[in-house]
């Protein structure tokens, strides 16, 4: 029964995967509108549309006007937040858990962390720091500081990893 639970526990994530996959399709459609705004000279980079709300993007497309300072302010804010370090763990109540890893007996070159999937797999370890830099292939092992639901389309099938005492050795 434990083996069955470990093998099929990932199915609880399927509704989130389906929802995030739909968001990805919508993002592609919005990217086409951003391409039109770029060609019209309203934005400087295609990715600038990410800094607008849906309503702001719709208004820009309909009126042909856009206050680019808003995008600049939001880019600055995004860069500020990107430099922050996320907490190691947050409970569903919002409590931030603190603690330290035991570092004794840690092999040289190892990254400390927590394996988040059950099972055992061998494959190429891919250290990914941002979703945009991801280039995962089947059987690759994702090593990152944290993920969030928007990363789900990258995963394809659930990746199962069993760490040893909470670390992954990078060879």
């Amino acid at each position: 029964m434990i083996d069955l639970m470990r093998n099929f526990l990932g199915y609880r994530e399927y509704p989130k995967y389906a929802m995030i996959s739909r968001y990805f399709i919508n993002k592609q459609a919005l990217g086409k509108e951003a391409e039109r705004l770029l060609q019209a000279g309203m934005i400087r980079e295609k990715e600038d549309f990410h800094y607008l709300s849906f309503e702001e993007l719709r208004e820009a497309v309909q009126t042909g006007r856009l206050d680019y300072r808003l995008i600049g302010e939001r880019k600055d804010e995004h860069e500020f937040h990107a430099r922050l370090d996320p907490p190691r763990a947050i409970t569903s109540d919002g409590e931030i858990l603190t603690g330290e890893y035991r570092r004794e007996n840690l092999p040289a070159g190892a990254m400390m962390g927590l394996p988040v999937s059950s099972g055992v797999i061998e494959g190429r370890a891919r250290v990914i720091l941002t979703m945009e830099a991801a280039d995962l292939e089947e059987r690759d092992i994702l090593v990152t500081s944290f993920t969030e639901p928007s990363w789900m389309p990258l995963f394809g099938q659930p990746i199962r990893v069993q760490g040893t005492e909470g670390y992954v050795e990078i060879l």
Side-chain angles (χ1 to χ4, degrees), residues 5-51:
M5 287 294 293
R6 285 182 178 157
N7 287 330
F8 294 108
L9 197 58
Y11 285 113
R12 70 184 179 91
E13 300 295 328
Y14 187 76
K16 282 192 280 185
Y17 174 78
M19 182 176 67
I20 297 301
S21 295
R22 175 58 63 187
Y23 285 151
F24 182 68
I25 292 168
N26 293 340
K27 180 180 171 183
Q28 289 176 319
L30 291 172
K32 291 179 182 177
E33 289 300 324
E35 186 66 42
R36 290 187 191 110
L37 293 177
L38 181 64
Q39 290 173 358
M42 292 178 62
I43 58 176
R44 297 180 189 131
E45 301 172 18
K46 183 177 176 184
E47 291 75 23
D48 287 350
F49 87 94
H50 292 286
Y51 298 99

Side-chain angles (χ1 to χ4, degrees), residues 44-119:
R44 297 180 189 131
E45 301 172 18
K46 183 177 176 184
E47 291 75 23
D48 287 350
F49 87 94
H50 292 286
Y51 298 99
L52 297 171
S53 70
F54 183 72
E55 291 300 321
E56 291 164 342
L57 180 62
R58 180 172 28 181
E59 183 178 328
V61 169
Q62 289 175 347
T63 65
R65 292 190 317 261
L66 174 65
D67 182 4
Y68 201 80
R69 289 178 299 177
L70 180 65
I71 292 174
E73 290 171 7
R74 290 184 181 162
K75 278 185 174 182
D76 292 342
E77 190 176 312
H78 176 76
E79 289 173 12
F80 170 77
H81 286 106
R83 289 189 297 269
L84 298 176
D85 290 324
R88 284 279 185 211
I90 302 176
T91 67
S92 58
D93 295 328
E95 178 186 5
I96 296 175
L97 304 177
T98 60
E100 294 185 16
Y101 292 112
R102 290 180 291 170
R103 298 183 186 274
E104 64 272 359
N105 302 323
L106 185 66
M111 290 180 70
M112 292 298 299
L114 299 173
V116 294
S117 298
S118 63

